[in-house]
Amino acid sequence: MKKNKLLIQNSITYGIVVGGWLLVQILSATGHMTSLLKGILVPLCIYSILAVSLNLTVGILGELSLGHAGFMCLGAFFGAFFTKCLEGPIPSVQVRFFIALIIGAAVAGVFGFLIGIPVLRLKGDYLAIVTLAFGEIIKNLINVMYIGLDSTGFHFSTKDTTSMGMDSTGVVIIKGAQGITGTPKAATFGIGIILLLVTLVIVLNLIHSRTGRAIMAIRDNRIAAESIGINITKYKLMAFAISAALAGVAGVLYAHNLSTLAATPKNFGYNMSIIILVYVVLGGLGNIRGSMIAAVVLTLLPELLRGLNDYRMLIYAIVLIVMMLFNSSPKAIEMRAVFLEKMKKNKNAAKEAA
């Protein structure tokens, strides 16, 4: 019975994603898809992946991380760097993009593991501050990097392009604060939907597995979990690394949706980490479907309200407050529980009458 209920819940989550894809196809076929909406389709997938992956750390593991933008930045730059470097050996853009996804996820996952070893010993505000510092360090390191490629190999500098000493065949790939230019726009809405579904499958299956139950046991009571033989460090690192790897996938998707990739505060700074955390909190801590829906709604809303000019951000703020009250207010939670109980009783009564 429990397995059937779980299967239904997971199917609803996947169905929402597939339904969103079908809705976009219908709007496109009937000519109702505006250029504005077309432009934010891939970002909707990116932010949904980020929200779902961060919920694994914040909601399921119970650790407050503000470094998610840093892992996204790592995935974006390593993926774009690979795509640019292998233009000659691998002419197919889609093949390079697929390999870049694997590389971006692997690099972000490894960094998540390495950063997690010292960081996850901290708790609460201390953990949040250190992960925030990590994201800022990554962004600033990339901004001072100059990497080029010529016939003799790679050249690296932290000063400028002339100090790299490349020959006449040399090509600068990363240009410091200017980032990477000329990345092919291989990211599409269809690919974004597939990656979002893969993310949901990984996270939902992890949560409902033995590993997921161990992670949630650590979140609920660390001492009790340790007393029954659960390896605290192992499971915390596992959740943190998987979350970071999925953020890396979102980063690769982000990099291949832009012609120019730069590590600016707007793209990969503190505010980006806060925005992703807002999606998770408003959707509900531990609620994977809720964080995905919150990411979509809060990404769409400012664009849909753009015609209202001065009132746009006011309405956006009101929606934020209403969503927070609906998801976090004890009274609202109690009312939802009562409503669901009534629905269940009515359903059972209808079955008995039939």
Side-chain angles (χ1 to χ4, degrees), residues 200-221:
L200 287 170
V201 168
I202 292 171
V203 173
L204 289 174
N205 279 282
L206 175 67
I207 290 171
H208 299 297
S209 67
R210 183 178 179 181
T211 301
R213 290 191 291 273
I215 292 170
M216 287 185 281
I218 295 169
R219 176 197 65 190
D220 295 336
N221 193 319

Side-chain angles (χ1 to χ4, degrees), residues 47 50-51 54 66 265-266 269-282 294-295 298-299 316:
Y47 293 130
L50 288 169
L54 183 60
L66 293 178
K266 180 182 177 182
Y270 168 76
N271 285 337
M272 176 59 76
S273 291
I274 293 298
I275 288 170
I276 302 166
L277 183 62
V278 167
Y279 297 153
V280 173
V281 173
L282 288 182
L298 296 181
T299 305
Y316 181 76

Side-chain angles (χ1 to χ4, degrees), residues 164-181:
M164 287 191 290
M166 294 188 296
D167 58 28
S168 58
T169 63
V171 177
V172 181
I173 299 174
I174 298 181
K175 305 174 184 177
Q178 296 180 21
I180 301 176
T181 57

Side-chain angles (χ1 to χ4, degrees), residues 81 85 144-176:
F81 183 80
C85 287
V144 299
M145 281 187 182
Y146 292 86
I147 301 177
L149 177 65
D150 63 8
S151 57
T152 60
F154 290 102
H155 297 262
F156 173 83
S157 174
T158 56
K159 295 180 179 179
D160 50 40
T161 54
T162 57
S163 62
M164 287 191 290
M166 294 188 296
D167 58 28
S168 58
T169 63
V171 177
V172 181
I173 299 174
I174 298 181
K175 305 174 184 177

Side-chain angles (χ1 to χ4, degrees), residues 101-155:
L101 286 170
I102 298 173
I103 291 174
V107 170
V110 168
F111 270 86
F113 180 81
L114 295 175
I115 296 297
I117 292 173
V119 163
L120 291 176
R121 296 177 185 273
L122 305 172
K123 295 180 182 179
D125 297 340
Y126 300 103
L127 175 64
I129 291 168
V130 174
T131 52
L132 171 63
F134 159 74
E136 292 299 307
I137 289 169
I138 292 296
K139 176 175 65 66
N140 289 306
L141 279 177
I142 289 174
N143 277 331
V144 299
M145 281 187 182
Y146 292 86
I147 301 177
L149 177 65
D150 63 8
S151 57
T152 60
F154 290 102
H155 297 262

Side-chain angles (χ1 to χ4, degrees), residues 35-345:
S35 57
L36 179 66
L37 287 175
K38 284 181 181 178
I40 62 172
L41 289 177
V42 175
L44 287 176
C45 299
I46 294 169
Y47 293 130
S48 295
I49 293 170
L50 288 169
V52 169
S53 59
L54 183 60
N55 211 344
L56 181 59
T57 299
V58 178
I60 306 303
L61 180 59
E63 300 289 356
L64 180 58
S65 171
L66 293 178
H68 221 52
F71 297 121
M72 178 188 175
C73 185
L74 283 170
F77 273 87
F78 272 91
F81 183 80
F82 170 82
T83 304
K84 288 284 291 180
C85 287
L86 296 183
E87 282 180 340
I90 307 177
S92 173
V93 173
Q94 295 301 327
V95 172
R96 276 185 285 140
F97 177 53
F98 176 74
I99 301 174
L101 286 170
I102 298 173
I103 291 174
V107 170
V110 168
F111 270 86
F113 180 81
L114 295 175
I115 296 297
I117 292 173
V119 163
L120 291 176
R121 296 177 185 273
L122 305 172
K123 295 180 182 179
D125 297 340
Y126 300 103
L127 175 64
I129 291 168
V130 174
T131 52
L132 171 63
F134 159 74
E136 292 299 307
I137 289 169
I138 292 296
K139 176 175 65 66
N140 289 306
L141 279 177
I142 289 174
N143 277 331
V144 299
M145 281 187 182
Y146 292 86
I147 301 177
L149 177 65
D150 63 8
S151 57
T152 60
F154 290 102
H155 297 262
F156 173 83
S157 174
T158 56
K159 295 180 179 179
D160 50 40
T161 54
T162 57
S163 62
M164 287 191 290
M166 294 188 296
D167 58 28
S168 58
T169 63
V171 177
V172 181
I173 299 174
I174 298 181
K175 305 174 184 177
Q178 296 180 21
I180 301 176
T181 57
T183 307
K185 296 188 71 172
T188 64
F189 181 60
I191 293 173
I193 286 292
I194 292 170
L195 291 176
L196 176 56
L197 285 171
V198 170
T199 301
L200 287 170
V201 168
I202 292 171
V203 173
L204 289 174
N205 279 282
L206 175 67
I207 290 171
H208 299 297
S209 67
R210 183 178 179 181
T211 301
R213 290 191 291 273
I215 292 170
M216 287 185 281
I218 295 169
R219 176 197 65 190
D220 295 336
N221 193 319
R222 178 192 174 105
I223 296 173
E226 197 168 13
S227 68
I228 60 172
I230 294 176
N231 190 327
I232 305 294
T233 304
K234 171 188 170 183
Y235 287 110
K236 288 179 78 171
L237 282 175
M238 185 184 297
F240 200 69
I242 292 172
S243 177
L246 294 173
V249 170
V252 176
L253 193 62
Y254 182 86
H256 289 78
N257 190 47
L258 303 169
S259 55
T260 301
L261 178 68
T264 62
K266 180 182 177 182
N267 294 343
F268 304 110
Y270 168 76
N271 285 337
M272 176 59 76
S273 291
I274 293 298
I275 288 170
I276 302 166
L277 183 62
V278 167
Y279 297 153
V280 173
V281 173
L282 288 182
L285 295 177
N287 187 342
I288 301 302
R289 188 194 308 162
S291 58
M292 178 185 68
I293 294 172
V296 171
V297 171
L298 296 181
T299 305
L300 272 175
L301 200 60
E303 303 302 328
L304 296 177
L305 298 174
R306 193 171 290 276
L308 297 176
N309 296 327
D310 296 337
Y311 300 101
R312 180 166 64 101
M313 296 314 294
L314 174 63
I315 297 172
Y316 181 76
I318 291 171
V319 171
L320 282 178
I321 294 169
V322 170
M323 287 183 68
M324 178 62 80
L325 290 173
F326 181 76
N327 285 312
S328 303
S329 169
K331 192 68 178 177
I333 294 171
E334 183 184 341
M335 288 173 64
R336 288 208 308 270
V338 171
F339 176 76
L340 290 173
E341 187 65 29
K342 284 183 178 179
M343 291 284 289
K344 189 176 179 181
K345 286 181 179 178

